[in-house]
Protein backbone atom coordinates (compact mmCIF):
# COMPACT_ATOMS: atom_id res chain seq x y z
CA UNK A 1 0.00 0.00 0.00
CA UNK A 2 1.15 3.54 -0.71
CA UNK A 3 2.83 5.48 2.07
CA UNK A 4 0.95 8.39 3.65
CA UNK A 5 3.48 11.14 4.29
CA UNK A 6 2.47 14.06 6.54
CA UNK A 7 4.14 17.40 7.36
CA UNK A 8 5.61 18.23 10.75
CA UNK A 9 6.51 21.87 11.28
CA UNK A 10 6.91 21.27 15.01
CA UNK A 11 6.63 18.55 17.65
CA UNK A 12 2.89 19.04 18.11
CA UNK A 13 2.23 18.59 14.40
CA UNK A 14 4.41 15.48 14.36
CA UNK A 15 2.43 13.96 17.23
CA UNK A 16 -0.81 14.81 15.43
CA UNK A 17 0.34 13.22 12.17
CA UNK A 18 1.49 9.99 13.79
CA UNK A 19 -1.56 9.84 16.03
CA UNK A 20 -3.85 10.04 13.01
CA UNK A 21 -2.11 7.29 11.09
CA UNK A 22 0.68 8.77 8.96
CA UNK A 23 3.21 6.17 7.84
CA UNK A 24 5.94 8.80 7.74
CA UNK A 25 6.57 12.48 8.39
CA UNK A 26 8.89 15.04 6.84
CA UNK A 27 10.40 17.88 8.82
CA UNK A 28 13.16 20.44 8.84
CA UNK A 29 15.77 21.50 11.33
CA UNK A 30 16.99 25.04 11.93
CA UNK A 31 19.09 25.30 8.76
CA UNK A 32 19.14 24.30 5.06
CA UNK A 33 15.38 24.03 5.17
CA UNK A 34 12.88 25.55 2.71
CA UNK A 35 10.45 26.44 5.51
CA UNK A 36 12.56 28.55 7.83
CA UNK A 37 9.47 30.45 8.96
CA UNK A 38 8.18 27.31 10.68
CA UNK A 39 9.33 26.70 14.24
CA UNK A 40 11.05 23.51 13.01
CA UNK A 41 13.01 21.09 15.19
CA UNK A 42 15.93 21.53 17.53
CA UNK A 43 18.60 18.85 17.45
CA UNK A 44 17.30 17.32 20.68
CA UNK A 45 13.72 17.24 19.41
CA UNK A 46 14.86 15.72 16.13
CA UNK A 47 16.90 13.00 17.81
CA UNK A 48 13.94 12.09 20.02
CA UNK A 49 11.61 12.04 17.01
CA UNK A 50 13.85 9.65 15.05
CA UNK A 51 14.07 7.23 17.99
CA UNK A 52 10.34 7.36 18.71
CA UNK A 53 9.22 6.90 15.11
CA UNK A 54 11.63 4.05 14.47
CA UNK A 55 10.34 2.27 17.58
CA UNK A 56 6.84 2.53 16.10
CA UNK A 57 7.93 1.33 12.69
CA UNK A 58 7.31 4.74 11.09
CA UNK A 59 9.69 6.76 8.93
CA UNK A 60 11.11 10.27 9.15
CA UNK A 61 12.50 12.30 6.26
CA UNK A 62 14.52 15.50 6.67
CA UNK A 63 14.27 18.45 4.31
CA UNK A 64 17.70 19.70 3.21
CA UNK A 65 16.06 21.39 0.27
CA UNK A 66 17.53 24.86 -0.05
CA UNK A 67 20.20 26.07 -2.46
CA UNK A 68 23.52 26.13 -0.60
CA UNK A 69 26.05 28.91 -1.03
CA UNK A 70 29.81 28.47 -1.31
CA UNK A 71 30.42 30.11 2.07
CA UNK A 72 28.17 27.51 3.71
CA UNK A 73 30.16 24.48 2.55
CA UNK A 74 31.79 23.69 5.89
CA UNK A 75 28.57 24.22 7.85
CA UNK A 76 26.69 22.02 5.36
CA UNK A 77 29.29 19.27 5.77
CA UNK A 78 28.94 19.38 9.54
CA UNK A 79 25.16 19.31 9.28
CA UNK A 80 25.16 16.30 6.94
CA UNK A 81 27.65 14.54 9.21
CA UNK A 82 25.27 15.05 12.12
CA UNK A 83 22.31 13.68 10.13
CA UNK A 84 24.41 10.71 9.05
CA UNK A 85 25.09 9.90 12.72
CA UNK A 86 21.42 10.15 13.74
CA UNK A 87 20.08 8.13 10.82
CA UNK A 88 16.81 9.51 9.40
CA UNK A 89 15.15 7.46 6.66
CA UNK A 90 15.92 9.93 3.90
CA UNK A 91 16.96 13.45 2.96
CA UNK A 92 14.85 15.57 0.61
CA UNK A 93 17.28 17.63 -1.50
CA UNK A 94 17.28 20.01 -4.46
CA UNK A 95 20.91 21.18 -4.76
CA UNK A 96 23.34 18.96 -6.70
CA UNK A 97 26.09 20.25 -4.44
CA UNK A 98 24.31 18.67 -1.47
CA UNK A 99 23.86 15.45 -3.46
CA UNK A 100 27.54 15.30 -4.35
CA UNK A 101 28.62 15.91 -0.76
CA UNK A 102 26.34 13.15 0.50
CA UNK A 103 27.57 10.70 -2.13
CA UNK A 104 31.23 11.39 -1.44
CA UNK A 105 31.24 11.56 2.35
CA UNK A 106 27.95 10.10 3.60
CA UNK A 107 26.84 7.37 1.19
CA UNK A 108 24.57 5.76 3.81
CA UNK A 109 22.15 8.71 3.59
CA UNK A 110 19.18 7.92 1.35
CA UNK A 111 18.41 10.81 -1.02
CA UNK A 112 15.04 11.94 -2.34
CA UNK A 113 14.73 14.54 -5.10
CA UNK A 114 12.65 17.50 -3.93
CA UNK A 115 9.72 18.70 -6.00
CA UNK A 116 11.85 21.82 -6.46
CA UNK A 117 14.04 19.80 -8.85
CA UNK A 118 11.03 20.03 -11.20
CA UNK A 119 11.04 16.40 -12.36
CA UNK A 120 8.32 15.96 -14.98
CA UNK A 121 9.50 12.96 -17.00
CA UNK A 122 10.78 9.42 -16.65
CA UNK A 123 14.01 10.53 -18.33
CA UNK A 124 14.66 13.05 -15.56
CA UNK A 125 13.76 10.51 -12.86
CA UNK A 126 16.09 7.94 -14.40
CA UNK A 127 18.91 10.48 -14.55
CA UNK A 128 18.53 11.04 -10.81
CA UNK A 129 18.45 7.29 -10.17
CA UNK A 130 21.79 7.04 -11.99
CA UNK A 131 23.04 9.83 -9.72
CA UNK A 132 22.20 7.68 -6.70
CA UNK A 133 18.79 9.03 -5.63
CA UNK A 134 16.15 6.51 -4.57
CA UNK A 135 12.95 8.57 -4.66
CA UNK A 136 11.65 11.47 -6.74
CA UNK A 137 9.00 13.94 -5.57
CA UNK A 138 7.34 14.74 -8.87
CA UNK A 139 6.35 18.24 -9.97
CA UNK A 140 2.90 19.23 -8.79
CA UNK A 141 1.87 20.35 -12.27
CA UNK A 142 1.59 16.80 -13.64
CA UNK A 143 -1.74 15.19 -14.49
CA UNK A 144 -2.76 11.56 -13.94
CA UNK A 145 -1.76 10.30 -17.39
CA UNK A 146 1.63 11.98 -17.08
CA UNK A 147 2.14 10.37 -13.68
CA UNK A 148 1.27 6.96 -15.12
CA UNK A 149 3.74 7.45 -17.95
CA UNK A 150 6.56 8.34 -15.57
CA UNK A 151 5.79 5.33 -13.35
CA UNK A 152 5.84 2.94 -16.30
CA UNK A 153 9.30 4.02 -17.42
CA UNK A 154 11.33 4.48 -14.24
CA UNK A 155 12.62 2.39 -11.36
CA UNK A 156 12.60 5.34 -8.98
CA UNK A 157 10.16 5.47 -6.10
CA UNK A 158 7.61 8.19 -6.87
CA UNK A 159 6.19 10.59 -4.33
CA UNK A 160 3.28 12.87 -5.23
CA UNK A 161 1.67 15.79 -3.41
CA UNK A 162 -2.04 15.11 -2.90
CA UNK A 163 -3.16 17.98 -0.68
CA UNK A 164 -2.18 21.52 0.24
CA UNK A 165 -0.92 24.79 -1.14
CA UNK A 166 0.24 25.18 -4.72
CA UNK A 167 2.95 27.62 -5.73
CA UNK A 168 2.14 30.03 -8.55
CA UNK A 169 5.54 29.18 -10.01
CA UNK A 170 6.67 25.89 -11.57
CA UNK A 171 7.51 23.51 -8.71
CA UNK A 172 8.15 26.35 -6.31
CA UNK A 173 11.10 27.71 -8.29
CA UNK A 174 9.95 31.24 -7.56
CA UNK A 175 11.65 34.64 -7.41
CA UNK A 176 8.53 36.62 -6.46
CA UNK A 177 9.40 36.86 -2.76
CA UNK A 178 12.99 37.80 -3.61
CA UNK A 179 11.83 40.48 -6.03
CA UNK A 180 9.42 42.13 -3.58
CA UNK A 181 11.41 41.97 -0.38
CA UNK A 182 14.72 40.19 -0.82
CA UNK A 183 13.51 36.99 0.85
CA UNK A 184 14.48 34.02 -1.29
CA UNK A 185 12.06 31.10 -1.58
CA UNK A 186 14.97 28.92 -2.63
CA UNK A 187 16.75 29.80 0.60
CA UNK A 188 13.83 28.98 2.88
CA UNK A 189 12.56 32.54 3.37
CA UNK A 190 9.47 32.69 1.14
CA UNK A 191 7.00 35.34 2.34
CA UNK A 192 4.21 33.81 0.22
CA UNK A 193 3.77 37.05 -1.70
CA UNK A 194 1.50 35.24 -4.16
CA UNK A 195 -1.07 34.72 -1.40
CA UNK A 196 -1.67 38.42 -0.79
CA UNK A 197 -4.55 40.62 -1.89
CA UNK A 198 -3.53 42.92 -4.77
CA UNK A 199 -5.07 45.98 -6.38
CA UNK A 200 -5.04 46.32 -10.17
CA UNK A 201 -6.16 49.07 -12.51
CA UNK A 202 -8.77 47.90 -14.98
CA UNK A 203 -10.51 50.18 -17.50
CA UNK A 204 -10.04 53.29 -15.42
CA UNK A 205 -11.06 51.71 -12.11
CA UNK A 206 -9.35 49.68 -9.43
CA UNK A 207 -10.15 46.07 -8.67
CA UNK A 208 -8.79 43.82 -5.94
CA UNK A 209 -8.15 40.11 -6.03
CA UNK A 210 -5.81 37.23 -5.26
CA UNK A 211 -4.37 37.34 -8.75
CA UNK A 212 -1.28 35.21 -8.10
CA UNK A 213 -2.79 32.62 -5.77
CA UNK A 214 -3.81 29.30 -7.35
CA UNK A 215 -6.43 27.08 -5.78
CA UNK A 216 -5.04 24.59 -3.29
CA UNK A 217 -4.51 20.96 -4.22
CA UNK A 218 -7.05 18.34 -3.12
CA UNK A 219 -6.78 14.91 -4.72
CA UNK A 220 -8.66 12.74 -2.25
CA UNK A 221 -11.18 11.69 -4.91
CA UNK A 222 -8.32 10.69 -7.22
CA UNK A 223 -6.62 8.43 -4.67
CA UNK A 224 -7.96 5.17 -6.20
CA UNK A 225 -6.54 6.12 -9.60
CA UNK A 226 -3.23 7.18 -8.09
CA UNK A 227 -3.00 3.92 -6.16
CA UNK A 228 -3.71 1.93 -9.32
CA UNK A 229 -0.99 3.92 -11.07
CA UNK A 230 1.49 2.62 -8.49
CA UNK A 231 2.49 5.87 -6.80
CA UNK A 232 4.65 4.96 -3.81
CA UNK A 233 3.98 7.87 -1.47
CA UNK A 234 1.15 10.38 -1.04
CA UNK A 235 2.40 13.64 0.42
CA UNK A 236 0.43 16.27 2.33
CA UNK A 237 1.77 19.83 2.15
CA UNK A 238 1.72 21.98 5.28
CA UNK A 239 4.81 22.40 7.46
CA UNK A 240 3.56 25.89 8.33
CA UNK A 241 0.11 24.62 9.31
CA UNK A 242 -1.22 23.98 12.82
CA UNK A 243 -1.27 20.59 14.50
CA UNK A 244 -5.08 20.66 14.28
CA UNK A 245 -4.90 21.05 10.49
CA UNK A 246 -2.32 18.28 10.17
CA UNK A 247 -4.46 15.96 12.30
CA UNK A 248 -7.64 16.60 10.33
CA UNK A 249 -6.09 16.17 6.90
CA UNK A 250 -4.01 13.13 7.87
CA UNK A 251 -7.04 11.44 9.41
CA UNK A 252 -9.11 12.06 6.28
CA UNK A 253 -6.49 10.74 3.87
CA UNK A 254 -5.71 7.76 6.12
CA UNK A 255 -9.35 6.71 6.01
CA UNK A 256 -9.58 7.25 2.26
CA UNK A 257 -6.47 5.15 1.58
CA UNK A 258 -7.60 2.35 3.89
CA UNK A 259 -11.10 2.30 2.38
Amino acid sequence: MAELLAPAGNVEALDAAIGEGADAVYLGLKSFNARMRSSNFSWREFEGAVKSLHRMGRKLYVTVNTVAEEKETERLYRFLSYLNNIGPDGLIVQDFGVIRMCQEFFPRLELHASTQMNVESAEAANLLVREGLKRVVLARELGLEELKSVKEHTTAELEVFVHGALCVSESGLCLFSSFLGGKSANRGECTQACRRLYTAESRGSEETGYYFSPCDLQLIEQLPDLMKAGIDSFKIEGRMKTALYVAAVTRTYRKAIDD
Side-chain angles (χ1 to χ4, degrees):
M1 184 177 290
E3 172 186 84
L4 178 59
L5 177 56
N10 52 47
V11 174
E12 291 76 17
L14 184 148
D15 289 343
I18 295 301
E20 296 297 343
D23 300 303
V25 299
Y26 64 103
L27 56 83
L29 278 75
K30 304 289 186 180
S31 57
F32 302 107
N33 165 18
R35 288 291 181 269
M36 294 304 294
R37 292 171 60 217
S38 297
S39 56
N40 294 309
F41 283 69
S42 67
W43 287 18
R44 180 176 296 178
E45 291 170 338
F46 168 65
E47 292 163 16
V50 171
K51 291 178 182 178
S52 296
L53 266 64
H54 286 176
R55 279 199 301 266
M56 292 185 283
R58 314 290 179 90
K59 292 185 177 182
L60 185 152
Y61 307 123
V62 179
T63 57
V64 190
N65 57 343
T66 57
V67 174
E69 296 181 349
E70 185 70 26
K71 63 184 179 183
E72 297 172 321
T73 302
E74 182 178 349
R75 188 161 65 93
L76 175 62
Y77 176 87
R78 294 179 184 277
F79 181 59
L80 293 174
S81 177
Y82 165 74
L83 293 178
N84 186 62
N85 290 334
I86 302 303
D89 297 283
L91 269 58
I92 303 170
V93 299
Q94 80 152 308
D95 189 325
F96 265 99
V98 176
I99 293 172
R100 280 286 179 266
M101 189 176 287
C102 288
Q103 290 173 334
E104 184 172 353
F105 299 106
F106 311 109
R108 287 193 303 133
L109 289 172
E110 183 175 301
L111 300 180
H112 299 180
S114 168
T115 189
Q116 289 167 288
M117 294 193 81
N118 198 34
V119 176
E120 298 187 343
S121 67
E123 288 81 1
N126 291 335
L127 170 64
L128 292 172
V129 169
R130 291 194 294 272
E131 293 293 329
L133 280 77
K134 182 177 181 181
R135 179 181 291 188
V136 172
V137 187
L138 291 172
R140 299 182 215 191
E141 297 81 34
L142 297 182
L144 179 61
E145 294 305 315
E146 293 168 311
L147 295 175
K148 288 180 180 178
S149 178
V150 174
K151 181 62 180 178
E152 289 172 0
H153 298 95
T154 184
T155 59
E157 290 184 7
L158 298 184
E159 182 176 305
V160 170
F161 277 94
V162 293
H163 194 93
L166 280 173
C167 183
V168 69
S169 182
E170 289 282 324
S171 295
L173 300 175
C174 183
L175 300 178
F176 198 2
S177 179
S178 294
F179 177 75
L180 286 186
K183 302 289 186 180
S184 172
N186 296 299
R187 298 275 296 158
E189 300 177 327
C190 181
T191 59
Q192 296 186 310
C194 59
R195 294 259 161 180
R196 299 175 189 172
L197 184 67
Y198 287 90
T199 300
E201 292 185 2
S202 176
R203 298 176 182 176
S205 63
E206 290 187 344
E207 298 179 358
T208 58
Y210 296 93
Y211 299 120
F212 301 102
S213 184
C215 294
D216 284 0
L217 189 66
Q218 179 177 297
L219 298 183
I220 194 164
E221 294 180 355
Q222 283 73 41
L223 284 182
D225 290 332
L226 291 169
M227 294 177 76
K228 289 178 183 177
I231 301 303
D232 298 284
S233 180
F234 297 143
K235 188 172 193 174
I236 299 168
E237 186 274 340
R239 281 193 290 137
M240 295 179 66
K241 302 286 189 174
T242 66
L244 181 62
Y245 172 93
V246 172
V249 177
T250 303
R251 182 190 315 124
T252 303
Y253 277 81
R254 177 77 274 161
K255 185 177 188 306
I257 292 170
D258 292 347
D259 285 349

